[in-house]
Amino acid sequence: MSGVALRRTLQALVVLLGVSVATFALVHLVPGDPVRLALGTRFDQATYDALRERAGLDQPLLAQYLSWIGHAVTGDLGVSFRSGDPVTALILERLPATLSLALASILVALLIAVPLGTASALRPRSLVDGFGTVVSQIGISVPEFWMGIMLILVFAGTLGWFPASGYVPLGEDPAGWLRSLVLPAVTTGLVSGSVLTRFTRSSVLEALGAEHVRTARAKGLGPRAVLRGHVLRNAMLPLVTVTGVQLAYLLSGVVVVEIVFAWPGLGQLALQSVQARDYPVLQGAVLLFAFVFLLLNLAVDLLYSKLDPRIAS
């Protein structure tokens, strides 16, 4: 187990280093002068040169990269050109909203996918299977922004059960936090749940046809014992991978949903940094997204080894 963890960790660090190089290079290829955008239309040359020097933009690209990555290792991602605030502080300010939305969305997705996908697999070509197929296809096909707008019109505009937009911190008002979270979490959870439903159905069907399942049935085990002890554990392996990818995607910020619901997440922060040519914020956000993907992939690999000891060997 320790050998698998060490090998996966080293691979993740190499990938993260490559992502940092690619991100730094691509960000500096984006047209536009971030210093001019930060200063506005009226500035003198001395102020312009001073800001470039403070940001390190007067140095060669290699020196800029080494300085940036060296500080990033210690948690210092630089200072925003746009606001003058530390990038780490800006990311940490948006992190609770992103975590709330991602975890709530993946919970909604699993509550939809596991029961519906399992029921569809146990009764193929039945009404339950047809219902699951229709629901998953609708969830995959309908754009997130349209689904979000419809939920706002029905549950915020007509019924008035939930707020139409905005985010309330958990520490300030737990009830308000929950009410503000419901609509965006359901929007993203329906889409992710539709994807996970198809994977759950396929995985359970494949597990049901395995030889050890037929042997267990031949020995006289009941349907529930076979399902719990022999089907679900093997069927969950592919689902763990897809769930990890979906969670990483949600933690990276669902920009469209964040815009529809005015949700102050990391996706909206990254979009604003692109529009403002705010290099430090954009680099820090992309590096964080890559780190989240790699961390969750590492967790999935280790969980795989726990669920299936053959992988560790």
Side-chain angles (χ1 to χ4, degrees):
M1 188 70 175
S2 59
V4 173
L6 180 61
R7 186 166 63 252
R8 294 290 191 270
T9 302
L10 291 176
Q11 292 172 352
L13 290 175
V14 172
V15 173
L16 189 62
L17 180 62
V19 169
S20 69
V21 173
T23 301
F24 185 86
L26 291 175
V27 164
H28 282 74
L29 290 176
V30 175
D33 189 339
V35 177
R36 291 183 180 274
L37 291 173
L39 292 175
T41 57
R42 296 182 179 180
F43 61 90
D44 54 62
Q45 190 63 34
T47 305
Y48 176 82
D49 294 338
L51 184 56
R52 279 185 60 86
E53 182 178 357
R54 189 181 71 176
L57 296 177
D58 59 333
Q59 302 176 7
L61 283 179
L62 179 59
Q64 291 183 43
Y65 171 76
L66 293 176
S67 175
W68 172 65
I69 200 65
H71 286 88
V73 172
T74 65
D76 180 10
L77 297 172
V79 178
S80 169
F81 291 155
R82 184 179 183 183
S83 64
D85 297 324
V87 174
T88 305
L90 292 174
I91 290 177
L92 291 177
E93 182 182 352
R94 304 285 187 113
L95 196 57
T98 297
L99 282 173
S100 300
L101 180 57
L103 295 177
S105 299
I106 207 68
L107 178 62
V108 171
L110 290 174
L111 289 175
I112 295 171
V114 175
L116 188 57
T118 303
S120 298
L122 293 175
R123 298 175 179 83
R125 293 181 295 278
S126 65
L127 288 176
V128 175
D129 188 23
F131 175 75
T133 301
V134 171
V135 169
S136 62
Q137 289 299 324
I138 291 175
I140 294 172
S141 304
V142 173
E144 288 182 333
F145 73 88
W146 186 87
M147 189 180 300
I149 292 172
M150 291 300 103
L151 291 177
I152 290 173
L153 288 175
V154 175
F155 294 101
T158 303
L159 299 176
W161 291 354
F162 306 105
S165 62
Y167 169 73
V168 178
L170 177 61
E172 293 182 6
D173 182 6
W177 169 81
L178 183 60
R179 292 183 71 247
S180 67
L181 182 61
V182 169
L183 292 185
V186 170
T187 301
T188 51
L190 285 173
V191 177
S192 297
S194 301
V195 176
L196 295 179
T197 297
R198 307 311 300 164
F199 275 93
T200 303
R201 181 184 183 277
S202 301
S203 299
V204 173
L205 277 175
E206 184 177 354
L208 286 170
E211 292 184 2
H212 68 277
V213 173
R214 291 196 294 267
T215 302
R217 287 172 173 169
K219 289 181 178 179
L221 286 179
R224 291 186 178 180
V226 171
L227 181 64
R228 288 196 301 265
H230 299 275
V231 174
L232 289 181
R233 181 166 183 172
N234 291 286
M236 289 303 106
L237 287 173
L239 182 62
V240 166
T241 302
V242 183
T243 302
V245 173
Q246 289 292 318
L247 181 58
Y249 162 71
L250 294 171
L251 284 171
S252 300
V254 191
V255 179
V256 174
V257 174
E258 290 179 3
I259 292 174
V260 171
F261 290 97
W263 195 262
L266 291 174
Q268 197 172 109
L269 177 65
L271 178 62
Q272 292 170 352
S273 66
V274 171
Q275 295 171 339
R277 304 295 191 273
D278 199 342
Y279 289 175
V281 176
L282 181 57
Q283 291 171 174
V286 174
L287 192 64
L288 176 65
F289 297 158
F291 177 76
V292 167
F293 267 97
L294 292 172
L295 186 63
L296 286 174
N297 282 334
L298 177 61
V300 167
D301 287 339
L302 297 180
L303 186 58
Y304 250 53
S305 302
K306 186 69 175 178
L307 294 175
D308 190 350
R310 296 173 299 176
I311 296 176
S313 61

